[in-house]
Coordinates of all heavy atoms in Angstrom, one line a residue:
M1 N 112.1 164.4 100.6 CA 111.4 163.6 99.6 C 112.2 162.5 99.1 O 111.8 161.3 99.0 CB 111.0 164.5 98.3 CG 109.6 165.1 98.5 SD 108.4 164.2 99.5 CE 107.3 163.7 98.3
K2 N 113.5 162.8 98.8 CA 114.4 161.7 98.3 C 114.5 160.5 99.2 O 114.5 159.3 98.8 CB 115.8 162.4 98.0 CG 116.8 161.4 97.4 CD 117.5 162.0 96.2 CE 118.3 161.0 95.5 NZ 119.4 160.5 96.2
K3 N 114.6 160.9 100.4 CA 114.7 159.8 101.5 C 113.5 158.9 101.4 O 113.7 157.6 101.4 CB 114.7 160.5 102.8 CG 115.8 160.0 103.8 CD 115.9 160.8 105.0 CE 116.5 159.9 106.2 NZ 116.3 160.6 107.4
N4 N 112.3 159.4 101.3 CA 111.1 158.6 101.2 C 111.2 157.6 100.0 O 110.8 156.5 100.1 CB 109.9 159.5 101.0 CG 109.1 159.5 102.3 OD1 109.1 158.5 103.0 ND2 108.4 160.6 102.6
R5 N 111.7 158.1 98.9 CA 111.7 157.2 97.8 C 112.7 156.1 98.0 O 112.4 155.0 97.6 CB 112.1 158.1 96.5 CG 111.3 157.8 95.3 CD 111.5 158.7 94.2 NE 112.2 158.0 93.1 CZ 113.0 158.6 92.3 NH1 113.2 159.9 92.4 NH2 113.5 157.9 91.4
N6 N 113.8 156.4 98.6 CA 114.8 155.3 98.8 C 114.1 154.2 99.7 O 114.3 153.0 99.5 CB 116.0 155.9 99.6 CG 117.0 156.5 98.5 OD1 116.8 156.3 97.3 ND2 117.8 157.4 99.0
K7 N 113.3 154.8 100.7 CA 112.6 153.8 101.5 C 111.7 152.9 100.7 O 111.6 151.7 101.0 CB 111.8 154.5 102.6 CG 112.5 154.4 104.0 CD 111.5 154.9 105.0 CE 112.1 154.9 106.4 NZ 111.5 155.8 107.3
T8 N 110.9 153.5 99.8 CA 110.0 152.8 99.1 C 110.7 151.7 98.3 O 110.3 150.5 98.2 CB 109.2 153.7 98.0 OG1 108.7 154.7 98.8 CG2 108.1 153.0 97.3
I9 N 111.9 152.1 97.7 CA 112.6 151.1 97.0 C 113.2 150.0 97.8 O 113.0 148.8 97.5 CB 113.9 151.8 96.3 CG1 113.3 152.7 95.2 CG2 114.8 150.7 95.6 CD1 114.4 153.6 94.5
L10 N 113.5 150.4 99.0 CA 114.0 149.3 100.0 C 112.9 148.3 100.3 O 113.1 147.1 100.2 CB 114.5 150.0 101.3 CG 115.0 149.1 102.3 CD1 116.3 148.3 101.9 CD2 115.3 149.7 103.6
Y11 N 111.7 148.9 100.6 CA 110.6 148.0 100.9 C 110.2 147.1 99.8 O 109.9 146.0 100.0 CB 109.3 148.8 101.3 CG 109.5 149.4 102.8 CD1 109.1 150.6 103.0 CD2 110.0 148.6 103.7 CE1 109.2 151.2 104.3 CE2 110.1 149.1 105.1 CZ 109.8 150.5 105.3 OH 109.9 150.9 106.6
N12 N 110.4 147.6 98.6 CA 110.0 146.7 97.4 C 111.0 145.7 97.3 O 110.6 144.5 97.0 CB 110.1 147.6 96.1 CG 108.7 148.3 95.9 OD1 107.7 147.7 95.9 ND2 108.7 149.6 95.7
I13 N 112.3 146.0 97.5 CA 113.3 144.9 97.5 C 113.0 143.9 98.5 O 113.1 142.7 98.3 CB 114.7 145.5 97.5 CG1 115.1 146.4 96.3 CG2 115.8 144.5 97.7 CD1 116.3 147.1 96.4
L14 N 112.7 144.3 99.8 CA 112.5 143.4 100.8 C 111.3 142.5 100.5 O 111.3 141.3 100.7 CB 112.2 144.2 102.1 CG 113.4 144.6 102.9 CD1 113.0 145.4 104.1 CD2 114.2 143.4 103.3
F15 N 110.3 143.1 99.9 CA 109.1 142.4 99.5 C 109.4 141.3 98.6 O 109.0 140.1 98.7 CB 108.0 143.4 98.9 CG 106.8 142.7 98.5 CD1 105.9 142.2 99.4 CD2 106.6 142.5 97.1 CE1 104.7 141.5 98.9 CE2 105.4 141.8 96.6 CZ 104.6 141.4 97.5
L16 N 110.1 141.7 97.5 CA 110.5 140.6 96.5 C 111.4 139.6 97.1 O 111.2 138.4 96.8 CB 111.3 141.3 95.4 CG 110.5 142.1 94.5 CD1 111.4 142.8 93.4 CD2 109.4 141.3 93.8
A17 N 112.3 140.0 98.1 CA 113.1 138.9 98.7 C 112.3 137.9 99.5 O 112.5 136.8 99.4 CB 114.2 139.6 99.6
V18 N 111.3 138.5 100.2 CA 110.4 137.5 101.0 C 109.7 136.6 100.0 O 109.6 135.4 100.3 CB 109.4 138.3 101.9 CG1 108.4 137.4 102.5 CG2 110.2 139.1 103.0
C19 N 109.1 137.2 99.0 CA 108.4 136.4 98.0 C 109.3 135.3 97.5 O 108.9 134.1 97.4 CB 107.9 137.2 96.8 SG 106.5 138.2 97.2
G20 N 110.5 135.7 97.1 CA 111.5 134.7 96.6 C 111.7 133.6 97.6 O 111.8 132.4 97.2
G21 N 111.9 134.0 98.8 CA 112.2 133.0 99.9 C 111.1 132.1 100.0 O 111.2 130.9 100.1
V22 N 109.8 132.5 100.1 CA 108.7 131.7 100.2 C 108.6 130.7 99.0 O 108.4 129.5 99.2 CB 107.3 132.5 100.4 CG1 106.1 131.6 100.2 CG2 107.3 133.3 101.7
F23 N 108.8 131.3 97.9 CA 108.8 130.5 96.6 C 109.8 129.3 96.7 O 109.5 128.2 96.5 CB 109.0 131.3 95.4 CG 109.1 130.6 94.2 CD1 107.8 130.1 93.6 CD2 110.2 130.2 93.5 CE1 107.9 129.4 92.4 CE2 110.2 129.5 92.3 CZ 109.0 129.1 91.8
L24 N 111.0 129.7 97.1 CA 112.1 128.7 97.1 C 111.7 127.6 98.2 O 112.0 126.4 98.0 CB 113.4 129.3 97.5 CG 114.1 130.0 96.3 CD1 115.5 130.6 96.9 CD2 114.4 129.1 95.2
F25 N 111.1 128.0 99.3 CA 110.8 127.2 100.3 C 109.7 126.1 99.8 O 109.9 124.9 100.0 CB 110.2 127.9 101.5 CG 109.7 127.0 102.6 CD1 110.6 126.3 103.5 CD2 108.4 126.8 102.8 CE1 110.1 125.5 104.4 CE2 107.8 125.9 103.8 CZ 108.7 125.3 104.6
L26 N 108.7 126.6 99.2 CA 107.7 125.7 98.7 C 108.2 124.9 97.6 O 107.8 123.7 97.4 CB 106.5 126.6 98.1 CG 105.7 127.4 99.2 CD1 104.7 128.2 98.6 CD2 105.0 126.3 100.2
W27 N 109.1 125.4 96.8 CA 109.7 124.7 95.7 C 110.5 123.5 96.1 O 110.5 122.5 95.6 CB 110.5 125.7 94.8 CG 111.0 125.0 93.5 CD1 112.2 124.6 93.3 CD2 110.2 124.8 92.4 NE1 112.3 124.1 92.1 CE2 111.1 124.2 91.4 CE3 108.9 125.0 92.0 CZ2 110.6 123.9 90.1 CZ3 108.5 124.7 90.7 CH2 109.3 124.1 89.8
S28 N 111.3 123.7 97.2 CA 112.3 122.7 97.6 C 111.8 121.8 98.6 O 112.3 120.7 98.8 CB 113.5 123.5 98.2 OG 113.1 124.2 99.4
A29 N 110.6 122.0 99.2 CA 110.0 121.0 100.1 C 108.8 120.5 99.5 O 107.9 121.2 99.1 CB 109.6 121.7 101.4
P30 N 108.6 119.2 99.3 CA 109.6 118.2 99.7 C 110.7 118.0 98.7 O 110.6 118.4 97.5 CB 108.7 116.9 99.7 CG 107.8 117.1 98.5 CD 107.5 118.6 98.6
P31 N 111.8 117.5 99.1 CA 113.0 117.2 98.3 C 112.7 116.3 97.1 O 111.9 115.5 97.2 CB 114.1 116.7 99.2 CG 113.3 116.1 100.4 CD 112.1 116.9 100.5
E32 N 113.5 116.4 96.1 CA 113.3 115.6 94.9 C 113.6 114.1 95.1 O 113.3 113.3 94.2 CB 114.2 116.1 93.8 CG 113.5 116.9 92.7 CD 112.2 116.3 92.2 OE1 112.2 115.1 91.8 OE2 111.1 117.0 92.1
T33 N 114.1 113.8 96.3 CA 114.4 112.4 96.6 C 113.2 111.6 96.9 O 113.2 110.3 97.0 CB 115.4 112.3 97.8 OG1 114.8 112.9 98.9 CG2 116.7 112.9 97.5
T34 N 112.0 112.2 97.1 CA 110.8 111.5 97.4 C 110.5 110.4 96.4 O 110.6 110.6 95.2 CB 109.6 112.5 97.5 OG1 109.9 113.4 98.4 CG2 108.4 111.7 97.9
A35 N 110.2 109.2 96.9 CA 110.0 108.0 96.0 C 109.0 108.3 95.0 O 107.9 108.9 95.3 CB 109.7 106.8 96.8
H36 N 109.2 107.9 93.8 CA 108.2 108.0 92.7 C 107.2 106.9 92.9 O 107.4 105.9 93.5 CB 108.8 107.9 91.3 CG 109.6 109.1 90.9 ND1 110.8 109.4 91.3 CD2 109.1 110.2 90.1 CE1 111.2 110.5 90.7 NE2 110.2 111.0 90.0
L37 N 106.0 107.1 92.2 CA 105.0 106.1 92.3 C 105.7 104.9 91.5 O 106.1 105.1 90.3 CB 103.8 106.6 91.5 CG 102.5 105.8 91.6 CD1 102.0 105.7 93.0 CD2 101.4 106.4 90.7
P38 N 105.7 103.7 92.1 CA 106.4 102.6 91.4 C 105.6 102.2 90.1 O 104.4 102.2 90.1 CB 106.4 101.4 92.5 CG 105.9 102.1 93.7 CD 105.1 103.3 93.4
H39 N 106.3 101.6 89.2 CA 105.7 100.9 88.0 C 105.6 99.4 88.4 O 106.5 98.7 88.2 CB 106.5 101.0 86.8 CG 106.4 102.4 86.1 ND1 105.4 102.8 85.4 CD2 107.2 103.6 86.2 CE1 105.5 104.0 84.9 NE2 106.6 104.5 85.5
D40 N 104.4 99.1 88.9 CA 104.2 97.6 89.1 C 102.6 97.4 89.0 O 101.9 98.4 88.8 CB 104.7 97.2 90.5 CG 104.1 97.9 91.7 OD1 103.1 98.6 91.5 OD2 104.8 98.0 92.8
E41 N 102.2 96.2 89.3 CA 100.8 95.9 89.0 C 99.9 96.7 90.0 O 98.7 97.0 89.7 CB 100.5 94.4 89.0 CG 101.0 93.7 90.3 CD 100.8 92.2 90.1 OE1 100.9 91.7 89.0 OE2 100.4 91.5 91.1
N42 N 100.4 97.0 91.2 CA 99.6 97.8 92.2 C 99.4 99.2 91.7 O 98.4 99.8 92.1 CB 100.3 97.8 93.5 CG 100.1 96.5 94.3 OD1 99.2 95.8 94.1 ND2 101.1 96.1 95.1
H43 N 100.4 99.7 91.0 CA 100.3 101.2 90.7 C 100.1 101.6 89.3 O 99.8 102.7 89.0 CB 101.6 101.8 91.3 CG 101.8 101.6 92.7 ND1 102.5 100.5 93.2 CD2 101.4 102.3 93.8 CE1 102.6 100.6 94.5 NE2 101.9 101.6 94.9
E44 N 100.4 100.7 88.3 CA 100.3 100.9 86.9 C 99.0 101.7 86.6 O 99.0 102.6 85.8 CB 100.5 99.6 86.1 CG 101.1 99.9 84.8 CD 102.5 100.6 84.8 OE1 103.4 100.1 85.5 OE2 102.6 101.6 84.1
K45 N 97.9 101.3 87.1 CA 96.7 101.8 86.7 C 96.5 103.3 87.1 O 95.6 104.0 86.5 CB 95.5 101.0 87.2 CG 95.5 100.8 88.7 CD 94.3 99.9 89.1 CE 94.2 99.6 90.6 NZ 95.3 98.7 91.0
F46 N 97.3 103.7 88.0 CA 97.2 105.1 88.5 C 97.9 106.1 87.6 O 97.8 107.3 87.7 CB 97.6 105.3 89.9 CG 96.9 104.4 90.9 CD1 97.5 103.5 91.7 CD2 95.4 104.5 90.9 CE1 96.8 102.7 92.6 CE2 94.8 103.7 91.8 CZ 95.4 102.8 92.6
M47 N 98.8 105.5 86.7 CA 99.7 106.4 85.9 C 98.8 107.3 85.0 O 99.2 108.5 84.7 CB 100.7 105.6 85.1 CG 101.6 104.8 85.9 SD 102.7 105.9 86.8 CE 103.5 104.8 87.9
Q48 N 97.8 106.8 84.4 CA 96.9 107.5 83.5 C 95.8 108.3 84.1 O 95.3 109.3 83.6 CB 96.4 106.6 82.4 CG 97.4 105.6 81.9 CD 98.5 106.3 81.1 OE1 98.3 107.5 80.7 NE2 99.6 105.7 81.0
M49 N 95.4 107.9 85.3 CA 94.2 108.4 85.9 C 94.4 109.8 86.4 O 95.5 110.3 86.6 CB 94.0 107.5 87.2 CG 92.5 107.3 87.5 SD 92.5 106.3 89.0 CE 92.3 104.6 88.4
D50 N 93.3 110.5 86.4 CA 93.3 111.9 87.0 C 93.8 111.8 88.5 O 93.5 110.9 89.2 CB 91.8 112.4 87.1 CG 91.7 113.7 87.7 OD1 92.2 114.7 87.0 OD2 91.2 113.9 88.8
K51 N 94.7 112.8 88.8 CA 95.3 112.6 90.1 C 94.4 112.5 91.3 O 94.5 111.6 92.1 CB 96.2 113.9 90.3 CG 97.5 113.8 89.6 CD 98.5 114.9 90.1 CE 99.8 114.9 89.2 NZ 100.5 116.1 89.2
K52 N 93.4 113.3 91.3 CA 92.5 113.4 92.5 C 91.8 112.0 92.6 O 91.5 111.5 93.6 CB 91.5 114.5 92.3 CG 92.0 115.7 93.0 CD 90.8 116.6 93.4 CE 91.1 117.6 94.6 NZ 90.5 119.0 94.3
E53 N 91.4 111.6 91.3 CA 90.7 110.3 91.3 C 91.5 109.1 91.8 O 91.2 108.3 92.6 CB 90.3 110.0 89.8 CG 89.5 108.7 89.5 CD 88.2 108.8 90.2 OE1 87.6 109.9 90.3 OE2 87.6 107.7 90.5
A54 N 92.9 109.1 91.4 CA 93.8 108.1 91.8 C 94.0 108.1 93.3 O 94.1 107.0 93.9 CB 95.1 108.2 91.0
E55 N 94.1 109.3 93.8 CA 94.4 109.4 95.3 C 93.4 108.8 96.2 O 93.6 108.4 97.3 CB 94.7 110.8 95.7 CG 96.1 111.3 95.2 CD 96.1 112.8 95.1 OE1 95.2 113.5 95.1 OE2 97.3 113.3 94.9
K56 N 92.2 108.5 95.6 CA 91.1 108.0 96.5 C 91.5 106.5 96.8 O 91.0 106.0 97.8 CB 89.8 108.0 95.8 CG 89.2 109.4 95.6 CD 87.8 109.3 94.9 CE 87.3 110.6 94.5 NZ 86.5 110.5 93.2
Y57 N 92.3 105.9 95.9 CA 92.6 104.5 96.1 C 93.8 104.2 97.0 O 94.0 103.1 97.4 CB 92.8 103.8 94.8 CG 91.5 103.9 93.9 CD1 91.5 104.9 92.9 CD2 90.5 103.0 94.0 CE1 90.3 105.1 92.1 CE2 89.4 103.1 93.2 CZ 89.3 104.1 92.3 OH 88.2 104.2 91.5
C58 N 94.7 105.1 97.1 CA 96.0 104.9 97.8 C 95.8 104.3 99.2 O 96.4 103.4 99.6 CB 96.7 106.2 97.9 SG 97.0 107.1 96.4
G59 N 94.8 104.9 99.9 CA 94.5 104.4 101.3 C 94.0 103.0 101.4 O 94.0 102.5 102.5
E60 N 93.6 102.4 100.3 CA 93.2 100.9 100.4 C 94.4 100.1 100.8 O 94.2 99.0 101.3 CB 92.6 100.5 99.1 CG 91.2 101.1 98.8 CD 90.6 100.8 97.4 OE1 91.2 99.9 96.8 OE2 89.6 101.4 97.1
C61 N 95.5 100.5 100.5 CA 96.7 99.7 100.8 C 97.7 100.4 101.8 O 98.3 99.8 102.6 CB 97.5 99.3 99.5 SG 96.5 98.4 98.4
H62 N 97.8 101.8 101.6 CA 98.7 102.6 102.4 C 98.0 103.2 103.6 O 97.7 104.4 103.6 CB 99.3 103.6 101.5 CG 100.2 103.1 100.4 ND1 101.4 102.4 100.7 CD2 100.0 102.9 99.1 CE1 101.9 102.0 99.6 NE2 101.1 102.3 98.6
A63 N 97.7 102.4 104.5 CA 97.1 103.0 105.7 C 97.4 102.0 106.8 O 97.7 100.9 106.6 CB 95.5 103.1 105.5
K64 N 97.1 102.4 108.1 CA 97.4 101.6 109.2 C 96.7 100.2 109.1 O 95.5 100.2 108.6 CB 97.0 102.3 110.5 CG 97.8 102.1 111.7 CD 97.6 103.1 112.7 CE 97.8 102.5 114.2 NZ 96.5 101.9 114.7
D65 N 97.3 99.1 109.4 CA 96.7 97.8 109.3 C 96.4 97.3 107.9 O 95.7 96.3 107.7 CB 95.4 97.7 110.2 CG 95.6 98.1 111.6 OD1 96.7 97.8 112.1 OD2 94.8 98.8 112.2
K66 N 96.9 98.0 106.9 CA 96.8 97.5 105.5 C 98.1 96.9 105.1 O 99.1 96.9 105.9 CB 96.3 98.6 104.6 CG 95.0 99.2 105.0 CD 93.8 98.2 104.6 CE 92.5 98.6 105.3 NZ 92.0 99.9 105.0
I67 N 98.2 96.5 103.8 CA 99.4 95.7 103.4 C 100.6 96.6 103.3 O 101.7 96.1 103.5 CB 99.2 95.0 102.1 CG1 98.8 96.0 100.9 CG2 98.2 93.9 102.2 CD1 98.9 95.3 99.6
A68 N 100.5 97.9 103.1 CA 101.7 98.8 103.0 C 101.4 100.0 103.8 O 101.3 101.1 103.2 CB 102.0 99.0 101.5
P69 N 101.5 100.0 105.1 CA 101.2 101.2 105.9 C 102.3 102.3 105.7 O 103.4 101.9 105.3 CB 101.2 100.7 107.4 CG 101.9 99.3 107.3 CD 101.8 98.8 106.0
L70 N 101.9 103.5 105.8 CA 102.9 104.6 105.7 C 103.8 104.6 106.8 O 103.6 104.1 108.0 CB 102.1 105.9 105.7 CG 101.2 106.1 104.5 CD1 100.5 107.5 104.6 CD2 102.0 106.0 103.2
P71 N 105.1 105.0 106.6 CA 106.1 105.1 107.7 C 105.5 106.0 108.8 O 104.7 106.9 108.5 CB 107.3 105.7 107.1 CG 107.1 105.7 105.6 CD 105.7 105.5 105.3
K72 N 105.9 105.8 110.0 CA 105.4 106.6 111.2 C 105.7 108.1 111.0 O 104.9 108.9 111.4 CB 106.1 106.1 112.5 CG 105.3 105.1 113.3 CD 105.5 105.3 114.8 CE 104.7 104.3 115.5 NZ 105.1 103.0 115.2
D73 N 106.9 108.4 110.4 CA 107.2 109.8 110.4 C 106.8 110.4 109.0 O 107.5 111.3 108.5 CB 108.8 109.9 110.5 CG 109.6 109.0 109.6 OD1 109.0 108.2 108.9 OD2 110.9 109.2 109.5
H74 N 105.9 109.8 108.3 CA 105.4 110.3 107.1 C 104.9 111.7 107.2 O 104.1 112.0 108.0 CB 104.4 109.4 106.4 CG 104.1 109.6 105.0 ND1 103.2 110.6 104.6 CD2 104.5 109.1 103.9 CE1 103.1 110.6 103.3 NE2 104.0 109.7 102.8
P75 N 105.3 112.6 106.2 CA 104.7 114.0 106.2 C 103.2 114.0 106.0 O 102.7 113.0 105.6 CB 105.5 114.6 105.2 CG 106.1 113.6 104.3 CD 106.2 112.4 105.1
P76 N 102.6 115.2 106.2 CA 101.1 115.3 106.0 C 100.8 114.7 104.6 O 101.5 115.0 103.7 CB 100.9 116.8 106.0 CG 102.0 117.4 106.8 CD 103.2 116.5 106.6
K77 N 99.7 114.0 104.5 CA 99.5 113.0 103.4 C 98.4 113.3 102.4 O 98.2 112.6 101.6 CB 99.5 111.6 103.9 CG 98.3 111.4 104.8 CD 98.2 110.0 105.2 CE 96.8 109.7 105.7 NZ 96.3 109.4 106.9
Y78 N 97.7 114.4 102.6 CA 96.7 114.8 101.6 C 97.5 114.9 100.2 O 98.6 115.5 100.2 CB 95.9 115.9 101.9 CG 96.6 117.1 102.6 CD1 97.4 117.9 101.8 CD2 96.8 117.1 103.9 CE1 98.2 118.9 102.4 CE2 97.5 118.1 104.6 CZ 98.1 119.0 103.8 OH 99.0 119.9 104.3
R79 N 96.9 114.6 99.1 CA 97.5 114.8 97.8 C 98.8 114.1 97.6 O 99.8 114.6 97.3 CB 97.7 116.3 97.5 CG 96.4 117.1 97.5 CD 95.2 116.6 96.8 NE 95.4 116.0 95.5 CZ 95.3 116.7 94.3 NH1 94.9 118.0 94.4 NH2 95.4 116.2 93.2
C80 N 98.7 112.7 97.7 CA 99.8 111.8 97.5 C 100.7 112.1 96.3 O 101.9 112.2 96.4 CB 99.4 110.3 97.3 SG 98.1 109.8 98.4
L81 N 100.0 112.4 95.2 CA 100.8 112.5 93.9 C 101.5 113.8 93.7 O 102.3 113.9 92.7 CB 99.8 112.2 92.8 CG 99.2 110.7 92.8 CD1 98.3 110.5 91.7 CD2 100.4 109.6 92.7
F82 N 101.3 114.8 94.6 CA 102.0 116.0 94.5 C 103.5 115.7 94.9 O 104.4 116.4 94.4 CB 101.5 117.1 95.4 CG 100.3 117.8 94.8 CD1 99.7 117.4 93.6 CD2 99.9 119.1 95.4 CE1 98.7 118.1 93.0 CE2 98.8 119.7 94.8 CZ 98.2 119.3 93.6
C83 N 103.6 114.8 95.8 CA 105.0 114.5 96.3 C 105.5 113.2 95.6 O 106.7 113.2 95.2 CB 105.0 114.2 97.8 SG 104.4 115.7 98.8
H84 N 104.7 112.2 95.5 CA 105.2 111.0 94.9 C 104.8 111.1 93.4 O 103.7 110.7 93.0 CB 104.5 109.8 95.6 CG 104.8 109.6 97.0 ND1 106.1 109.2 97.4 CD2 104.1 109.9 98.1 CE1 106.1 109.3 98.8 NE2 105.0 109.6 99.2
K85 N 105.7 111.6 92.6 CA 105.5 111.9 91.2 C 105.4 110.6 90.4 O 106.0 109.6 90.7 CB 106.6 112.8 90.7 CG 106.7 114.2 91.4 CD 106.5 115.3 90.4 CE 106.0 116.5 91.1 NZ 106.9 117.0 92.2
R86 N 104.6 110.8 89.4 CA 104.6 109.7 88.3 C 105.5 110.0 87.2 O 105.7 111.2 86.9 CB 103.1 109.5 87.9 CG 102.2 109.4 88.9 CD 100.8 109.3 88.3 NE 100.3 110.6 87.9 CZ 99.0 110.8 87.5 NH1 98.1 109.8 87.6 NH2 98.6 112.0 87.1
K87 N 106.2 109.0 86.7 CA 107.0 109.3 85.5 C 107.0 108.1 84.5 O 106.6 107.1 84.9 CB 108.5 109.5 86.0 CG 109.0 108.3 86.8 CD 110.5 108.5 87.0 CE 110.9 107.1 87.7 NZ 112.1 107.1 88.4
Ligands
HEC101 C1 96.6 97.5 95.8 C2 97.4 98.1 96.8 C3 98.1 99.4 96.6 C4 97.4 100.6 96.2 C5 96.1 100.8 95.7 C6 98.6 101.6 96.2 N1 99.7 101.0 96.6 FE1 101.5 102.0 96.8 N2 102.4 100.2 97.3 C7 101.8 99.1 97.6 C8 102.7 98.1 98.1 C9 102.5 96.6 98.4 C10 104.0 98.8 98.1 C11 105.3 98.2 98.7 C12 106.0 97.2 97.7 C13 106.3 98.0 96.4 O1 107.2 98.8 96.3 O2 105.6 97.7 95.4 C14 103.7 100.1 97.7 C15 104.8 101.1 97.6 C16 104.5 102.4 97.3 C17 105.5 103.5 97.4 C18 106.9 103.3 97.7 C19 107.8 103.1 96.5 C20 109.2 103.0 97.0 O3 110.1 103.2 96.1 O4 109.6 102.6 98.1 C21 104.9 104.6 97.0 C22 105.5 106.0 96.9 C23 103.5 104.3 96.8 N3 103.3 103.0 96.9 C24 102.5 105.3 96.5 C25 101.2 105.0 96.2 C26 100.3 106.0 95.8 C27 100.5 107.4 95.8 C28 99.1 105.3 95.6 C29 97.8 105.9 95.2 C30 97.8 106.6 93.9 C31 99.3 103.9 95.9 N4 100.6 103.7 96.3 C32 98.4 102.9 95.8 C33 100.4 98.8 97.3 C34 99.5 99.7 96.9
HEC102 C1 104.2 116.4 101.5 C2 104.7 115.3 100.7 C3 104.1 113.9 100.7 C4 102.7 113.6 100.5 C5 101.6 114.5 100.3 C6 102.7 112.2 100.6 N1 104.0 111.6 100.8 FE1 104.4 109.7 101.0 N2 106.4 110.2 101.5 C7 106.8 111.5 101.5 C8 108.3 111.4 102.0 C9 109.2 112.6 102.0 C10 108.5 110.1 102.2 C11 109.9 109.5 102.8 C12 111.0 109.6 101.9 C13 110.8 108.8 100.7 O1 109.8 108.6 100.0 O2 111.9 108.3 100.1 C14 107.3 109.4 102.0 C15 107.2 108.0 102.1 C16 106.1 107.2 101.6 C17 106.1 105.8 101.5 C18 107.2 104.8 101.9 C19 108.3 104.9 100.8 C20 109.4 104.0 101.2 O3 110.4 104.1 100.4 O4 109.3 103.2 102.0 C21 104.9 105.4 101.0 C22 104.4 104.1 100.7 C23 104.1 106.7 100.8 N3 104.9 107.8 101.2 C24 102.9 106.8 100.3 C25 102.1 107.9 100.3 C26 100.7 107.9 100.0 C27 99.8 106.7 99.8 C28 100.3 109.3 100.2 C29 98.9 109.7 100.1 C30 97.9 109.2 101.1 C31 101.5 110.0 100.4 N4 102.5 109.2 100.5 C32 101.5 111.4 100.5 C33 106.2 112.6 101.1 C34 104.8 112.7 100.9

């Protein structure tokens, strides 16, 4: 019986360790170095706007063949403002 209980404890610890790992992974990616939304006339109006609402407009300039295309190696780009924080 005692052996079984030790196993249960071990599995619980493993479970918590995995949860912690996943949490740290999600927390740390992307790194904090990601560029913030700039304060300029192109972006100022998005600072107050609802995030989902604001993100509808990003593509008007940040897309292929527009004035500020995204870099080729840009990560998956849904929800711009989760990564490019406003401050
Ligand atoms: C009217 C056009 C326009 C719209 C709309 C626009 N941008 Fe931009 N953005 C630019 C231009 C031009 C640049 C590059 C020059 C500069 O830094 O201002 C830029 C630069 C950036 C940068 C890089 C800043 C840096 O430090 O290099 C980020 C991040 C960015 N935009 C995010 C966004 C997001 C997110 C949205 C939607 C909420 C958005 N932009 C909407 C024109 C636009
Ligand atoms: C998963 C996180 C993530 C999402 C979502 C995301 N980006 Fe980025 N973006 C990055 C990273 C990382 C870089 C490159 C490193 C940096 O910004 O300094 C980058 C770079 C950029 C740049 C170039 C910045 C520079 O300094 O040249 C622009 C402009 C940009 N992103 C706009 C957008 C727009 C617009 C969206 C939404 C359509 C978006 N990003 C969504 C993470 C993200």
